[in-house]
Amino acid sequence: MTVVARLHPGATPAEAQTQMNAIASRLEQEYPDFDGHWGVNVVPLRQQISGDLRPALLVLFGAVGLVLLIACANVSSLLLARAASREREMAIRTAMGASRWRIARQLLIESLLLALIGGGIGVSASNALLAASPRNLLDLRAVTMDLPVLAFALAATLLAGLLFGFLPSYISAHAGISETLKEGGRGSSSANRRAFARHAFVVAQLGLALVLLTGSGLLIRSFVRLVGVDPGFDPGHLLTFKVALPRSKYGTDQLCMAFFRQLLARINTVPGVRFASMESFPPLTGLGAATGVHLLSQPPLALSDLPVANVGVVGPDYFAAMNIPLRAGRLFNAEELAEEKHVTIINQIFADKYLHGVNPLGQKAAIYMKSLAENEIQPSEIIGVVGDVHQMGLDTAPEPTVYWPHPELVMSGMTILVRTSNDPLAIVSQARSELQHIDPELPMAGVATMDQLVADSLSRSRFTMLLLGIFAVVAVVLASVGLYGLIAYSVTQRTQELGIRIALGAQRRDVLRLVLGQGTRLTLLGVALGVLAALAFSRLLSTLLFGVSATDPLTFAGVAALLALVALMACFIPARRATRVDPIVALRYE
């Protein structure tokens, strides 16, 4: 049974754990034959439901915020450029009596209108992102656009409109009237402020884009490392499904053992089946059991100080079906798989950790898993050592494990493992027929291939990497567009200057170098600031990484070079256009 309890106001899970430990101790004394050596683990329900998803969701929320800031800086830069063309209009409005607040209010309303249109499109398109969430990880398709979500979206939209609209409206409202009404106001203080602001926005966009690109690069490298981990078994051509026997019909150990023995024998006769076996807790499903192990060759220890090992109850041909290698000794024989002989098999981690420097074969171990009093537990002989398996996940190190044959600890619920020579899903109907032939009332539950279970165990890492990668690509595109727009606008503003330079003998490569130099300086400054910000941001990703340091120099260097290359390509297009300026046309410009 799983117990759910509500804590008193102000009580903590740690306090509840202390009280439950005391209750468990009293129950052990009251029911020594049944409740011996079992404990209680108190876990907050929110943690039980969402697990370690919170760090990933917070990182993704931060990534969304950075993309929004980049978009705001981009739009603000465009509004600054547009304000330059409306400078004389605003100066005339001011000369006719319009106050600075009225001009700023008009421009802010225009910005908020743009934000509301964009926010509406974003809300309507958000269902596509919700549908892309992995079902086994966090089924976001059940999330609906209720009032709190719409209120949050509206608040974020209005905040974005104020963010990208404030500075253009402020600069336009504070422009000088007299100097603006002169010859286009070229070289005015407001024009200089706008140019500085546009440069600052581009540098900020590049820096924020580098932060997201670095996070995405770290997650991609981490995912590649994770995919390359050897799970310790061969997941290919392996079908799994669960069978749970009701105690009302299979109330004794002998009935349970006879049922599973008959089921495996019938499945083995199905064409295409190489091995049919079973296990209590298959790997990569998030399930398992652990208990204390008393090694008789070592001094007696208190129960709380005993070595702890995972426990697996297995059937015939289990290690062959899973393709888990034998390191030493032997596997279970037919007699040991048919009746209790007090034998066990350990994995290599168990031997290295608890029997270091000692030959594990022949050692006796008392395993506290059965419902027996301590003086009734029969020690089991270690007859073999097998390879290590990643039980809880590929990102979790293998743990010490003890394998028992089914007669040693009879369980009524087991997972059937079928190794096939072709597509494992092709034999599902035949396996179901064999199950129905024995007991028509029993269902097959959790039918899946082991490849699917491996993919499901990677779903969180894959989903986080995919979303952060999408955000990074969007950020790089926005930053590149912003830099391109700045350089293109600068070339347009300097058309006469460039025409004069060419007329005086400047070569095309000189003009190209001049324009690219401006973009290069902004790019290098943005990349430098982005690297510093990424060093701080990447530490938040440390809990999501596997086999990669949060400050991995190769990733930092790679993404910095990539962003610089993309930014310089964005600069090259307007720079090349500048080299084609006709001096005669340029001198007549405006």
Side-chain angles (χ1 to χ4, degrees):
M1 300 292 290
T2 299
V3 179
V4 178
R6 185 170 298 281
L7 300 180
H8 283 291
T12 65
E15 294 172 345
Q17 180 70 69
T18 301
Q19 294 185 16
M20 288 308 302
N21 289 341
I23 294 175
S25 178
R26 291 198 299 269
L27 288 174
E28 183 176 348
Q29 297 173 5
E30 188 173 353
Y31 302 100
D33 293 340
F34 177 78
D35 198 53
H37 313 296
W38 288 88
V40 177
N41 187 26
V42 175
V43 180
L45 186 59
R46 182 180 300 276
Q47 177 183 339
Q48 180 73 18
I49 294 174
S50 61
D52 53 357
L53 285 176
R54 183 176 177 83
L57 294 179
L58 289 177
V59 167
L60 293 177
F61 186 77
V64 172
L66 292 181
V67 172
L68 183 60
L69 287 177
I70 294 173
C72 289
N74 212 330
V75 176
S76 187
S77 182
L78 294 174
L79 290 179
L80 283 170
R82 183 170 179 265
S85 62
R86 301 179 64 186
E87 196 171 40
R88 290 177 62 86
E89 172 197 344
M90 296 303 167
I92 293 174
R93 287 175 179 268
T94 304
M96 294 177 64
S99 64
R100 291 179 176 179
W101 163 239
R102 186 165 186 175
I103 292 176
R105 184 178 61 189
Q106 175 186 338
L107 295 177
L108 275 178
I109 290 175
E110 294 176 0
S111 301
L112 291 175
L113 182 60
L114 288 174
L116 289 173
I117 294 174
I121 295 174
V123 168
S124 61
S126 61
N127 289 331
L129 183 61
L130 297 178
S133 65
R135 187 177 307 179
N136 68 303
L137 174 66
L138 187 64
D139 195 357
L140 297 180
R141 290 171 299 177
V143 177
T144 58
M145 283 295 169
D146 55 7
L147 187 59
V149 175
L150 290 176
F152 174 80
L154 178 61
T157 298
L158 295 178
L159 178 61
L162 292 175
L163 279 176
F164 68 72
F166 172 76
L167 190 59
S169 61
Y170 178 83
I171 293 178
S172 297
H174 288 75
I177 301 176
S178 58
E179 61 182 7
T180 301
L181 294 177
K182 298 175 184 177
E183 196 59 33
R186 194 180 300 274
S188 65
S189 59
S190 60
N192 293 333
R193 288 198 299 269
R194 281 194 298 271
F196 177 80
R198 286 196 299 271
H199 291 176
F201 282 144
V202 168
V203 170
Q205 289 180 68
L206 291 172
L208 295 176
L210 183 64
V211 171
L212 288 178
L213 202 58
T214 302
S216 177
L218 289 172
L219 286 179
I220 290 174
R221 292 203 65 199
S222 175
F223 186 76
V224 170
R225 294 280 183 89
L226 195 59
V227 171
V229 171
D230 180 11
F233 61 93
D234 181 11
H237 300 288
L238 194 59
L239 177 70
T240 71
F241 60 91
K242 300 175 184 177
V243 176
L245 304 181
R247 282 295 183 179
S248 59
K249 185 181 295 186
Y250 302 90
T252 66
D253 290 350
Q254 295 302 321
L255 288 175
C256 290
M257 292 168 55
F259 172 87
F260 284 115
R261 189 182 303 116
Q262 185 180 2
L263 176 61
L264 295 179
R266 295 186 68 90
I267 293 178
N268 267 314
T269 63
V270 174
V273 172
R274 296 174 55 196
F275 299 101
S277 186
M278 60 183 180
E279 184 182 10
S280 54
F281 305 107
L284 305 181
T285 58
L287 301 174
T291 188
V293 179
H294 177 207
L295 298 170
L296 270 62
S297 62
Q298 298 178 357
L301 298 172
L303 187 61
S304 58
D305 297 328
L306 286 176
V308 176
N310 291 338
V311 172
V313 179
V314 301
D317 298 322
Y318 169 76
F319 299 102
M322 293 290 287
N323 200 13
I324 299 175
L326 178 66
R327 302 295 189 194
R330 63 176 180 85
L331 303 178
F332 301 124
N333 57 35
E335 186 179 1
E336 293 162 346
L337 291 165
E339 57 182 297
E340 191 174 11
K341 293 296 183 181
H342 304 299
V343 293
T344 189
I345 293 175
I346 63 174
N347 67 347
Q348 189 66 54
I349 287 288
F350 187 102
D352 294 341
K353 185 174 183 179
Y354 299 137
L355 295 169
H356 183 68
V358 178
N359 182 10
L361 301 179
Q363 297 287 326
K364 296 296 183 89
I367 303 174
Y368 296 103
M369 194 74 177
K370 299 182 179 182
S371 299
L372 297 173
E374 184 174 354
N375 56 3
E376 297 179 4
I377 293 179
Q378 296 292 328
S380 298
E381 180 184 354
I382 299 175
I383 63 171
V385 180
V386 296
D388 301 321
V389 171
H390 290 262
Q391 179 70 24
M392 303 308 294
L394 296 179
D395 57 347
T396 304
E399 298 176 340
T401 302
V402 176
Y403 296 97
W404 277 355
H406 193 228
E408 296 283 347
L409 182 61
V410 179
M411 292 188 173
S412 58
M414 298 290 287
T415 296
I416 309 301
L417 307 167
V418 184
R419 170 77 62 183
T420 64
S421 55
N422 44 35
D423 182 11
L425 292 177
I427 69 161
V428 171
S429 60
Q430 294 170 285
R432 181 178 286 110
S433 298
E434 299 298 339
L435 176 62
Q436 298 293 313
H437 185 273
I438 302 174
D439 190 338
E441 297 180 354
L442 290 180
M444 290 174 61
V447 179
T449 65
M450 189 60 74
D451 285 329
Q452 290 174 334
L453 296 181
V454 173
D456 289 345
S457 71
L458 297 172
S459 58
R460 189 201 73 176
S461 299
R462 183 186 296 108
F463 187 57
T464 307
M465 177 195 68
L466 177 63
L467 285 187
L468 198 58
I470 292 174
F471 296 149
V473 170
V474 172
V476 171
V477 171
L478 288 176
S480 302
V481 169
L483 183 58
Y484 167 83
L486 175 65
I487 301 301
Y489 180 77
S490 176
V491 169
T492 302
Q493 293 293 95
R494 301 172 66 182
T495 300
Q496 283 187 334
E497 173 196 343
L498 296 176
I500 294 174
R501 288 178 179 272
I502 295 175
L504 292 176
Q507 300 297 316
R508 294 185 182 274
R509 63 175 178 273
D510 299 324
V511 176
L512 184 67
R513 187 183 305 114
L514 176 67
V515 177
L516 279 179
Q518 179 187 6
T520 301
R521 289 190 294 271
L522 294 176
T523 299
L524 293 179
L525 181 57
V527 169
L529 294 177
V531 168
L532 296 177
L535 286 172
F537 175 78
S538 61
R539 299 184 186 278
L540 302 178
L541 292 173
S542 56
T543 58
L544 305 178
L545 299 180
F546 174 79
V548 178
S549 169
T551 56
D552 180 52
L554 183 61
T555 302
F556 274 74
V559 298
L562 176 62
L563 181 62
L565 179 62
V566 172
L568 291 178
M569 289 177 62
C571 295
F572 180 77
I573 299 175
R576 187 177 181 185
R577 188 182 303 129
T579 63
R580 299 177 179 178
V581 171
D582 187 342
I584 302 300
V585 176
L587 292 176
R588 291 203 303 263
Y589 186 70
E590 292 186 347

